[in-house]
Amino acid sequence: MGLNRKDLLGVKDLTVDEIRLILETAGPMKDIIGRQIKKVPTLRGKTVINLFYEPSTRTRTSFELAGKYMSADTINISTSTSSVVKGETLKDTAKTLEVMGADVVVIRHAAAGAPHILSKHLSAAVINAGDGFHEHPTQALLDMFTIKEKKGSISGLKVAIVGDILHSRVARSNIWGLTKMGAEVRVVGPSTLIPPEVEKLGVTTFTSLEEGLRDTDVIMVLRIQLERQQKGLFPTIREYARHYGVTAERVRLARPDALVMHPGPINRGVEIAPEVADGIQAVINEQVTNGVAVRMALLYLLAGGGNPHEAIS
Amino acid sequence: MALCEKAVILDADGIRRALTRIAHEIIEKNKGVDSIALIGIRRRGVPLAERLARRISEIEGKEVPIGILDITLYRDDLTTITHQPVIHKTEIPFAVDSKTVVLVDDVLFTGRTVRAALDAIIDLGRPEAIQLAVLVDRGHRELPIRADYVGKNLPTSKKEIISVYLTELDELDKAVIEVDTA
C-alpha cells in the first residue's frame, strides 16, 4: 500500500488512511536521524528541487536534509537569484527544472494554489511547502506526528490553535488534519483574526484565551506576523501579548500534561512567553526534528518507486 | 495468487530440531556467545531469532541480545515493484560495533535480502563479523552470498514458492513448498 497520489498539495484531500500511513512511515525515519550514519540509500539517483518563492529557513533546510538523509540529490532555488527576476513564469521555471531531471519539486509560493497549477504541468511529484494563506500540509503532518508520538493517539484530544487564524496556512492545514483524525479543535484569537464561518470546518471559536485553553490537551501557538498590526487588525503588539500571549499562568488552565507547540519562528514575549517556550511542556524543538522525519516519509512515499505515475503530456 | 501446498519440508518438530542444532552450531563455531548478537530480518526472521536466543540461553545459560531489522529502505528493487512496501521500525537496542552479528531469516533464495541487510547493519556500525542463519536454503543465488547455518538445504525449481509459517505470526509451525495455481 502506498499513497494513492502523485503530489502532496494539501491535507484537505488526504484520507485518514493516507495520514496514518505518512505518520507511521515517519516513525522509522526518525530513528535514522538519531543514528551516527544518518543516511539510507533509498532515493539514490533521485533529484529533489526546493523552489522557494518566499523566505524560509526551517522548512527549506528540513526538506533539504530529508532529501539528503534519503540519498536524493537536493538542490535549492531561491527566487531572488533565479530567472524569476527576469520574468519567467512559474510554469516555465518548473518545466525547466523537470526537463533537467527533477523527480520531486517542493514549492513555497505566496499565491494560494500555485502548487496545484504546477502539479497539472509536471510529471514530477509536487509537494506544497506553503501556499499563501491556503495550506502548509507538511507542517500539519509533523504537528500530528508530534501529538501522536507524545499522546499515543490524536482522536478525542482537545486542541486549541491560538493566534492569527485568518492568515495562517498552518492553522488551516491543522484544522483539516486534526478534525479528520478525530480531535476536537478550537480556534482562539481576536475576532479580527478569525476567519468568518470558520465553524463550518468543524471547529469551535473562542475570543477569550482563558476560556479557549481550559482543559485542552494541546496548545498550538501561531506566530503573530508583526506586519498585521499595520493593517489595524490588532492595536499594538503589547496589547496583543496582554490578551493573547500564552503565559505560564494561562498554560495552567489547560490539562497538566498539555503540550505546547509552535511552528516557529517564535516571537518571544509576544504570542508566547519565554518561560513557556523553554518550559517542560514545550515540544517546539522536537517539532523541528519530527519535520525532517515526516518529510523523509513523504519523499519515500511519493518518489520511492513502486508507484508509477503517468507522465502528463 | 492462489497458493496450493505441494509438500511439507519441515513440520513443527523438524523446525524445532533444526533450530536446536543451529543454536549448538552458533555456540560451537563462536566458542561461546559472549560477543554474539542475533538480528532477525522482518518478518519471519524475528520469531526465529527469538527462538534461537531462547535455545542458546537454555544451552549456555547466557542471554544474547536480539535486534529487529527492516531492510525495506535498502532494497534494490524499489523502483521496479508495483506495490510500495510499508516501512517498519528497525529496533536494535545494542551497539553492533565489535559484536559478532548473526543475521536470521526464514528462507535464503536470491541473496538480495541478505545483501540489503548487510548494508543496513554496516550503516549502524562496524561489527566484528556478520554470520547468516536461515531455516531453509532453497538455492538460486543471484549474489555471492552463503549461509553459515542452515536448517534444511532444499533444491527447488524457481517457480515453486517456499513458505515458512511460525506460530508467532501464523496458525502453526511448518515450512512448505507451494505452487501458484492461478
Side-chain angles (χ1 to χ4, degrees):
Chain A
M1 189 183 75
L3 278 187
N4 197 18
R5 57 185 66 245
K6 175 174 90 73
D7 312 294
L8 176 76
L9 301 177
V11 177
K12 187 184 176 185
D13 41 53
L14 287 179
T15 66
V16 171
D17 282 342
E18 284 178 305
I19 294 174
R20 274 206 193 107
L21 175 67
I22 295 166
L23 302 187
E24 273 160 26
T25 306
M29 298 300 181
K30 188 173 180 183
D31 295 341
I32 294 167
I33 305 171
R35 289 184 198 158
Q36 226 161 12
I37 299 177
K38 300 187 278 286
K39 210 175 192 64
V40 290
T42 319
L43 296 184
R44 226 166 10 151
K46 305 268 183 177
T47 304
V48 177
I49 294 188
N50 289 326
L51 181 57
F52 276 62
Y53 287 81
E54 275 189 345
S56 160
T57 312
R58 77 194 62 218
T59 306
R60 187 182 52 69
T61 311
S62 183
F63 268 109
E64 186 176 356
L65 286 174
K68 289 190 162 154
Y69 292 163
M70 300 294 284
S71 295
D73 294 305
T74 61
I75 289 169
N76 296 317
I77 296 173
S78 68
T79 51
S80 56
T81 57
S82 74
S83 290
V84 174
V85 292
K86 300 180 189 165
E88 190 175 50
T89 66
L90 173 64
K91 182 184 155 189
D92 288 335
T93 304
K95 203 72 207 175
T96 306
L97 300 175
E98 181 167 82
V99 294
M100 286 184 195
D103 298 287
V104 180
V105 176
V106 178
I107 178 175
R108 166 166 293 187
H109 201 285
H116 304 69
I117 294 171
L118 270 198
S119 77
K120 287 197 186 76
H121 296 290
L122 296 188
S123 58
V126 176
I127 300 181
N128 181 358
D131 63 328
F133 302 146
H134 179 227
E135 279 230 45
H136 190 350
T138 58
Q139 178 70 42
L141 289 162
L142 78 89
D143 289 339
M144 289 190 274
F145 178 83
T146 307
I147 295 172
K148 189 157 175 276
E149 193 179 44
K150 293 284 171 189
K151 295 287 180 190
S153 132
I154 296 170
S155 179
L157 296 181
K158 290 189 178 71
V159 182
I161 306 178
V162 182
D164 182 359
I165 312 294
L166 182 64
H167 301 97
S168 175
R169 54 194 175 206
V170 175
R172 209 158 267 106
S173 289
N174 262 306
I175 290 170
W176 291 118
L178 289 166
T179 52
K180 268 182 222 253
M181 300 308 282
E184 186 191 315
V185 181
R186 310 168 170 189
V187 296
V188 188
S191 53
T192 47
L193 293 178
I194 291 190
E197 304 198 17
V198 69
E199 292 84 0
K200 284 191 177 159
L201 301 179
V203 302
T204 333
T205 307
F206 289 84
T207 49
S208 151
L209 180 58
E210 283 76 10
E211 281 172 39
L213 292 186
R214 197 152 286 144
D215 296 324
T216 50
D217 301 283
V218 179
I219 305 169
M220 204 176 267
V221 189
L222 300 175
R223 196 170 88 88
I224 190 84
Q225 282 160 310
L226 306 176
E227 55 271 25
R228 306 285 173 231
Q229 186 210 338
Q230 288 152 9
K231 289 191 184 167
L233 294 170
F234 56 91
T236 64
I237 292 291
R238 269 183 62 190
E239 181 97 356
Y240 180 86
R242 192 145 54 83
H243 289 287
Y244 292 100
V246 175
T247 59
E249 192 188 336
R250 286 169 172 155
V251 169
R252 279 194 283 275
L253 296 167
R255 290 177 54 100
D257 59 350
L259 304 177
V260 177
M261 307 177 73
H262 193 300
I266 63 176
N267 297 309
R268 283 174 182 269
V270 183
E271 73 265 4
I272 187 164
E275 66 270 23
V276 175
D278 303 324
I280 50 163
Q281 286 171 267
V283 291
I284 300 169
N285 288 328
E286 285 188 51
Q287 285 174 270
V288 178
T289 309
N290 292 343
V292 180
V294 164
R295 291 173 179 119
M296 287 168 78
L298 284 166
L299 290 177
Y300 168 72
L301 292 167
L302 293 174
N307 213 354
H309 297 289
E310 283 178 7
I312 295 159
S313 52
Chain B
M1 202 159 75
L3 293 180
C4 168
E5 187 175 309
K6 215 172 93 180
V8 176
I9 318 157
L10 290 167
D11 59 9
D13 284 335
I15 291 177
R16 182 177 51 77
R17 289 182 195 121
L19 290 176
T20 304
R21 176 173 51 77
I22 291 174
H24 279 286
E25 286 175 358
I26 291 173
I27 298 162
E28 190 186 1
K29 180 168 178 159
N30 296 290
K31 302 183 176 67
V33 291
D34 289 340
S35 62
I36 293 286
L38 302 180
I39 294 183
I41 300 176
R42 278 195 198 274
R43 286 176 69 198
R44 284 181 176 70
V46 177
L48 289 174
E50 287 164 353
R51 292 186 194 187
L52 278 174
R54 268 201 304 279
R55 296 286 201 297
I56 290 171
S57 110
E58 283 161 21
I59 301 163
E60 280 290 284
K62 284 180 183 158
E63 300 296 324
V64 292
I66 312 174
I68 299 173
L69 191 64
D70 186 278
I71 55 110
T72 313
L73 293 168
Y74 291 84
R75 285 173 67 148
D76 61 3
D77 58 354
L78 284 173
T79 50
T80 53
I81 50 180
T82 42
H83 290 286
Q84 189 176 41
V86 175
I87 313 260
H88 295 281
K89 280 204 172 220
T90 287
E91 296 168 47
I92 299 186
F94 49 84
V96 297
D97 300 83
S98 61
K99 286 241 168 30
T100 295
V101 168
V102 181
L103 271 177
V104 185
D105 206 0
D106 55 351
V107 179
L108 179 57
F109 184 20
T110 60
R112 287 176 191 268
T113 300
V114 175
R115 195 283 307 162
L118 291 173
D119 281 350
I121 288 180
I122 285 162
D123 276 359
L124 297 172
R126 187 176 189 280
E128 179 74 34
I130 302 177
Q131 300 172 354
L132 175 63
V134 296
L135 191 60
V136 180
D137 180 349
R138 59 167 297 186
H140 302 289
R141 216 76 77 239
E142 293 168 4
L143 297 169
I145 279 169
R146 60 159 182 78
D148 301 88
Y149 314 100
V150 179
K152 176 110 180 156
N153 277 299
L154 184 78
T156 58
S157 121
K158 266 196 150 180
K159 280 184 217 142
E160 288 168 328
I161 295 156
I162 309 300
S163 299
V164 171
Y165 297 92
L166 299 169
T167 48
E168 290 90 336
L169 300 164
D170 314 294
E171 276 175 17
L172 72 176
D173 272 355
K174 64 176 178 182
V176 295
I177 304 178
E178 293 171 333
V179 281
D180 188 357
T181 53

